[in-house]
Amino acid sequence: MDFGMALALVGAGLAALMAGIGSAIGIGIAGKSATGVLSEKPERYGQMFIMVVLPGTQGFYGFLAAFLIMLKLNFFGPEGAITITTTLGWQILAASLPIAFAGLFSAIHQGKVCAGGILMTAKRPEMAFKAGVVYAVMVEVYAVLGLLVTMFILLKGINWPTPV
Amino acid sequence: MMLRLKAKALDFYTYPPIGGDDWRYGYAAARVRALQTQMIPKSTLVDMANAGTFEQAAESISTTEYIPVASKTLAELEQVLIAQRRSLREQFARLMIDNSIVKLFKTRDDFANMRLAVRRRVTDKAIGTDYSSQGNLNPEIFEEVFEQEKYELLGEHIQNAVEQAILAYYTDRDICRIDHIIDRAQAEYNIQTALKMKSEFLTGLFSIKIDLTNIITMLRLKFTESEKRKVFLPGGYIEIERLKQAVDTEYDSIGQLFYATPYYRIVSVGANYVGTEKSFLKAEQASENHLSGYLNTTSQITSGPQPVIAYLLQKEKEIRTVRLILTAKKNLLDKKMILDRIGE
Amino acid sequence: MAANVNATRMELLRLRKRVALASRGHRLLSDKRDEISRQLVQIAKLIQPLRKTVEQKLLETCRRFMLARASMEPEDNKSSLEIPTKKFSLAVKFSTIMNVTVPQLTKEMEGQIICYGFATTSGELDVALLSLEQAFDSLIELAEKEKQAYLLATELQMTRRRVNVLEHIVIPELKQSIRYIFDKLAEAERDNISRLMKITDIIRG
């Protein structure tokens, strides 16, 4: 186990961790608002469900990025993990950062947007999808962009050594 | 007692800022938003006001939580509405995470109790126990407090108010002074507490309330041709000098004095109505509308104490309005009078 | 009455005096009746608008008060009117109109009627109390005038009955008695004369 591998694992960890924290906070915010509205209007459950789970996607993206790194490092292959140079390690860490931070912040803010959407749904249920979900999805776009950059770097930008 | 305010009247257009989100209040704000949708809409209130009889008016709100008001006498109606207000305040206390805000709003009842207790104290009546029990102080201690003059049991801010009020009464021999002193103490306490809590919203709210009270007071002083000038409350956005000047101005031109303030409409509409109809209905309606407008701006807040406080105040107003309309209907008052009074 | 009258000259003279007295009384009483009814009409004219304003003011007070009460919180209602500051005292004097004793009320009011602060009370309460204050002024006057009118009306009724009794019963009956006595005396006179003539005839004859 050398320094390169450590950096790669920090990258994988960061991707899953940061995006996961973001999603947890985001769902927490949206969930609190949703329960608040539901305690008075339980019939709105269906409309709110999607807004509560939307901030959860960032966690998945982070997990996906982390999983991809692990896959590329050949954790699950019969030959065992590949050995990587320190430079490669830095590259992998850099690749994980877009989704880690985009995930963290976009999830929190998406949570707030969703909470706002949920509050609006309490008053104007017909706008739930038109505004509430669409606006939340706009925040989602930037998490997706982060994920895309991470994926491009991992898949195209890095010259992976073949496992021995 | 210097009051420091962040914003001056010219720093905002109509309403002062309300501060930002506080994400601990996600549940409370959302719940309140859902509850707001169940409040009686203006159109129903207008229907009630236009209804031919008391029964028809009560019928209009039979689908809301006010069901039990139909076919009741006024005394029973009063009790129903008081119970409703009590449960509203309990709900507010449950939803509020900051206990200090709950305490601040409960202090209203403490001050109301003091107005009564001090009156009884200075006229040597029995202190009694028939006070509002929704304040922070237990009314049962009042007898002990006032008979043995242990005012320190009331807490510092109320102690000061009570002592000053009693002193003022004995200096001027005027019952009104008690109220003036306590009103002033209450206004100061509210603003100071809001500043201490660093709550932009509460500071704005109390300042607006003080301004509106001062404006109505100004019109009332003018109407009753009173010589009192020390009754204006400090801490509002409007300078007290301007109000004093307004008392000595003709009804038509009072509005001009407030042209640069957000209250221009309230003052001009209110003053004209006092001048022509000899009544404060419009002034009170306009000032309530102004306050509601400020409270409605809290709908920008997704999560925070502001919408919860706004809900408490709006709902209290709704209860008052229902009482007003039903009382008016029971006593066969003019429709116009009701419509001139009920706000948005 | 005519039946049990002593048909004597004494009685006749007495009755004549009584008739003269009664008709003088009648004249005086009917003058008094006219004067009382004139006074009464005057007072009644005052009462009507007064009553209207009082009723209107009280109604206004009631309405405003209802509105004020309904738009204030219950605890503020209680404290605001707990200690009234307006002092009110009423003194009754008596004077006479046409010999009728009527009360005259004088009131003394002191202090402000507004006994509360401004922050927690509604302006409508001011309107209600001021209009009550004005209503009180007229209310006292109205009470005084109505009592006067009542007393005068009773007096008028009594006087009118007296006038009527004098006019329609006492005087006619007295006159009837006088006539009766007069007739009776004339009859007796004639009786006497004819008897005397008869006696002279007998004596001569």
Side-chain angles (χ1 to χ4, degrees):
Chain A
M1 202 73 149
D2 55 317
F3 190 55
M5 180 53 94
L7 285 173
L9 288 183
V10 167
L14 269 184
L17 178 81
M18 304 277 259
I21 290 175
S23 280
I25 295 176
I27 295 191
I29 290 170
K32 268 203 266 182
S33 293
T35 44
V37 174
L38 288 176
S39 61
E40 294 298 328
K41 304 200 163 185
E43 72 279 5
R44 298 275 155 84
Y45 176 74
Q47 285 162 322
M48 289 183 186
F49 181 74
I50 188 151
M51 283 192 264
V52 176
V53 297
L54 261 181
T57 50
Q58 279 85 341
F60 272 103
Y61 300 159
F63 171 73
L64 196 66
F67 193 73
L68 198 68
I69 293 170
M70 291 189 272
L71 210 62
K72 282 290 182 188
L73 288 172
N74 200 26
F75 273 21
F76 312 108
E79 303 91 348
I82 54 173
T83 47
I84 52 173
T85 61
T86 311
T87 322
L88 191 62
W90 280 115
Q91 286 175 349
I92 294 172
L93 179 58
S96 73
L97 291 182
I99 185 58
F101 285 96
L104 174 65
F105 292 113
S106 74
I108 294 174
H109 284 286
Q110 197 176 30
K112 292 179 180 176
V113 172
C114 285
I118 285 165
L119 257 59
M120 184 198 59
T121 312
K123 225 168 210 170
R124 304 183 154 271
E126 74 279 3
M127 295 289 282
F129 277 87
K130 261 188 261 171
V133 175
V134 170
Y135 291 164
V137 166
M138 284 178 187
V139 185
E140 182 80 16
V141 167
Y142 297 93
V144 172
L145 291 182
L147 177 67
L148 279 180
V149 171
T150 300
M151 299 257 278
F152 280 136
I153 298 175
L154 285 179
L155 297 177
K156 301 284 174 190
I158 294 176
N159 199 8
W160 296 94
T162 43
V164 254
Chain B
M1 237 171 280
M2 279 299 293
L3 291 169
R4 192 181 50 79
L5 286 170
K6 282 185 205 157
K8 284 268 162 269
L10 289 175
D11 292 350
F12 50 87
Y13 179 57
T14 310
Y15 301 120
I18 55 170
D21 286 305
D22 177 348
W23 292 99
R24 292 173 303 155
Y25 281 93
Y27 175 80
R31 177 135 191 208
V32 156
R33 189 66 62 87
L35 285 168
Q36 268 169 349
T37 63
Q38 292 164 13
M39 282 175 61
I40 302 179
K42 168 92 201 252
S43 57
T44 312
L45 291 176
V46 172
D47 281 352
M48 278 174 78
N50 282 324
T53 62
F54 173 78
E55 281 73 25
Q56 282 168 8
E59 180 71 36
S60 317
I61 45 167
S62 59
T63 51
T64 63
E65 74 224 83
Y66 295 96
I67 325 164
V69 301
S71 69
K72 292 249 172 158
T73 63
L74 275 182
E76 284 171 317
L77 176 75
E78 190 97 323
Q79 288 310 312
V80 170
L81 293 177
I82 288 178
Q84 203 127 37
R85 197 186 61 171
R86 179 190 310 258
S87 68
L88 168 70
R89 288 181 175 177
E90 279 162 7
Q91 189 178 36
F92 174 73
R94 278 198 304 276
L95 288 176
M96 243 352 185
I97 295 166
D98 290 308
N99 226 356
S100 52
I101 297 183
V102 179
K103 203 178 146 220
L104 177 61
F105 278 89
K106 274 189 165 182
T107 315
R108 292 183 302 178
D109 280 59
D110 290 336
F111 280 114
N113 286 341
M114 285 309 122
R115 287 192 185 94
L116 187 54
V118 172
R119 272 183 165 76
R120 288 182 177 168
R121 164 74 180 70
V122 297
T123 49
D124 294 323
K125 283 196 182 182
I127 299 294
T129 48
D130 52 337
Y131 296 94
S132 159
S133 56
Q134 292 174 47
N136 296 307
L137 299 166
N138 184 355
E140 279 166 20
I141 65 165
F142 290 171
E143 227 156 64
E144 188 191 339
V145 167
F146 282 94
E147 267 155 28
Q148 303 171 21
E149 308 208 341
K150 289 188 192 164
Y151 299 127
E152 63 278 4
L153 289 177
L154 298 170
E156 196 191 339
H157 54 284
I158 297 184
Q159 182 191 354
N160 283 338
V162 167
E163 283 171 356
Q164 282 178 31
I166 293 177
L167 188 69
Y169 172 76
Y170 284 120
T171 324
D172 295 354
R173 289 277 158 188
D174 183 2
I175 293 281
C176 305
R177 293 295 296 153
I178 297 174
D179 274 8
H180 301 155
I181 297 287
I182 293 184
D183 290 346
R184 173 182 289 259
Q186 184 171 11
E188 275 169 1
Y189 173 74
N190 285 343
I191 294 272
Q192 302 282 14
T193 316
L195 286 174
K196 218 181 284 166
M197 282 190 228
K198 295 195 171 56
S199 165
E200 246 179 302
F201 173 70
L202 285 177
T203 317
L205 175 71
F206 290 128
S207 299
I208 289 186
K209 270 192 158 176
I210 288 171
D211 277 345
L212 295 176
T213 308
N214 278 344
I215 288 173
I216 303 265
T217 305
M218 178 267 290
L219 290 175
R220 287 167 74 175
L221 287 181
K222 186 159 175 52
F223 179 74
T224 53
E225 291 165 5
S226 169
E227 291 300 316
K228 291 172 187 155
R229 293 294 181 271
K230 283 190 277 179
V231 296
F232 293 113
L233 306 175
Y237 296 114
I238 297 183
E239 316 82 7
I240 290 173
E241 278 312 308
R242 192 194 292 269
L243 292 159
K244 283 183 185 165
Q245 192 188 341
V247 183
D248 303 321
T249 314
E250 286 299 305
Y251 282 120
D252 319 348
S253 33
I254 291 184
Q256 299 303 325
L257 280 176
F258 293 84
Y259 198 75
T261 69
Y263 309 109
Y264 170 63
R265 221 189 66 80
I266 304 175
V267 178
S268 57
V269 169
N272 281 336
Y273 198 79
V274 175
T276 55
E277 305 274 324
K278 306 258 171 292
S279 158
F280 297 94
L281 292 176
K282 274 275 179 200
E284 285 176 0
Q285 178 201 36
S287 75
E288 259 183 20
N289 283 351
H290 185 83
L291 192 64
S292 299
Y294 179 60
L295 295 177
N296 284 339
T297 58
T298 61
S299 61
Q300 306 160 10
I301 301 284
T302 310
S303 170
Q306 298 95 324
V308 188
I309 296 169
Y311 174 69
L312 172 77
L313 297 178
Q314 280 166 335
K315 190 79 184 170
E316 279 183 356
K317 187 188 126 196
E318 181 189 285
I319 292 174
R320 279 200 300 275
T321 309
V322 168
R323 181 170 52 213
L324 179 75
I325 297 180
L326 290 180
T327 313
K329 281 288 149 202
K330 201 99 184 175
N331 292 296
L332 308 172
L333 294 196
D334 238 13
K335 275 176 204 167
K336 183 176 169 291
M337 246 183 195
I338 310 175
L339 290 174
D340 278 350
R341 179 63 177 79
I342 57 176
E344 268 146 31
Chain C
M1 183 169 174
N4 43 27
V5 173
N6 283 332
T8 59
R9 209 162 282 274
M10 273 297 278
E11 188 70 13
L12 183 68
L13 285 174
R14 206 176 60 82
L15 281 178
R16 279 212 176 119
K17 261 185 207 151
R18 273 189 69 189
V19 168
L21 187 67
S23 51
R24 207 170 71 224
H26 174 248
R27 211 170 46 244
L28 276 175
L29 277 176
S30 63
D31 280 355
K32 179 181 178 185
R33 182 193 63 190
D34 293 349
E35 178 59 20
I36 288 183
S37 56
R38 197 182 62 83
Q39 296 263 5
L40 194 59
V41 166
Q42 256 177 2
I43 291 179
K45 254 187 210 157
L46 286 177
I47 287 179
Q48 214 173 17
L50 202 59
R51 192 171 187 95
K52 238 178 213 162
T53 50
V54 167
E55 273 174 4
Q56 203 223 334
K57 286 230 174 73
L58 285 179
L59 190 68
E60 179 77 1
T61 307
C62 259
R63 279 183 176 165
R64 297 287 168 192
F65 189 69
M66 280 291 170
L67 280 177
R69 214 181 113 80
S71 57
M72 281 160 59
E73 297 292 354
E75 51 269 20
D76 296 332
N77 272 323
K78 202 170 178 177
S79 63
S80 59
L81 299 174
E82 168 88 6
I83 312 282
T85 48
K86 187 100 187 168
K87 291 271 186 310
F88 187 85
S89 55
L90 196 63
V92 186
K93 276 195 312 189
F94 291 97
S95 65
T96 49
I97 301 177
M98 298 299 299
N99 213 20
V100 181
T101 316
V102 291
Q104 267 186 336
L105 305 173
T106 41
K107 59 195 176 299
E108 265 176 46
M109 291 202 262
E110 55 180 54
Q112 281 283 322
I113 196 160
I114 289 168
C115 57
Y116 44 79
F118 296 104
T120 51
T121 54
S122 159
E124 291 306 288
L125 204 56
D126 297 3
V127 183
L129 289 182
L130 284 185
S131 124
L132 183 66
E133 196 178 17
Q134 289 167 0
F136 251 113
D137 277 352
S138 332
L139 195 65
I140 302 294
E141 206 183 328
L142 179 68
E144 180 187 291
K145 289 274 183 290
E146 286 208 327
K147 188 68 194 170
Q148 286 178 359
Y150 174 76
L151 289 172
L152 280 181
T154 328
E155 184 66 21
L156 176 67
Q157 212 175 10
M158 219 146 70
T159 317
R160 189 180 286 156
R161 205 180 298 140
R162 279 186 191 146
V163 171
N164 284 346
V165 165
L166 282 177
E167 189 177 330
H168 297 294
I169 299 172
V170 177
I171 296 176
E173 272 182 3
L174 283 176
K175 281 190 171 155
Q176 205 186 343
S177 300
I178 290 171
R179 176 167 304 233
Y180 172 75
I181 295 172
F182 188 79
D183 286 353
K184 228 3 193 247
L185 285 179
E187 182 67 23
E189 182 91 14
R190 274 193 297 276
D191 201 27
N192 215 12
I193 289 175
S194 63
R195 197 179 293 139
L196 282 175
M197 284 168 76
K198 191 85 182 166
I199 291 172
T200 4
D201 271 2
I202 293 170
I203 294 174
R204 284 201 189 133

